[in-house]
Amino acid sequence: MIYSRADGYQFTADPNELETYETARVHVLLTEVRRLITGTIAPHAALDPGDKRIRRIVAQLNSVESTLDLIA
């Protein structure tokens, strides 16, 4: 199933359309993760760089960002 603003949700078996849709969705997710890191997590980490929980969150989100970047 793919979605476009013009046509709404549609079923398709066309691999090219599916790949285009998947790549676009991954780009959206990548942008969201990057904004979360830079806008929320990084400022918090700067306030308390020794916080173990924040270091783990940063490590996990960096891993997610890297994975999404490879997919995109």
Side-chain angles (χ1 to χ4, degrees), residues 4-69:
S4 73
R5 287 184 183 189
D7 301 320
Y9 286 99
Q10 299 178 326
F11 290 101
T12 183
D14 182 357
N16 293 327
E17 287 184 25
L18 289 171
E19 184 176 341
T20 300
Y21 177 73
E22 292 162 356
T23 303
R25 287 294 303 144
V26 168
H27 279 286
V28 168
L29 294 172
L30 182 57
T31 300
E32 289 176 359
V33 168
R34 285 182 174 154
R35 288 179 179 168
L36 176 63
I37 291 169
T38 59
T40 305
I41 302 302
H44 186 174
L47 291 174
D48 191 3
D51 186 341
K52 212 172 171 181
R53 181 177 156 272
I54 293 299
R55 286 196 324 255
R56 287 185 181 143
I57 291 171
V58 168
Q60 289 295 315
L61 287 174
N62 284 335
S63 176
V64 168
E65 179 186 22
S66 177
T67 300
L68 290 172
D69 197 32

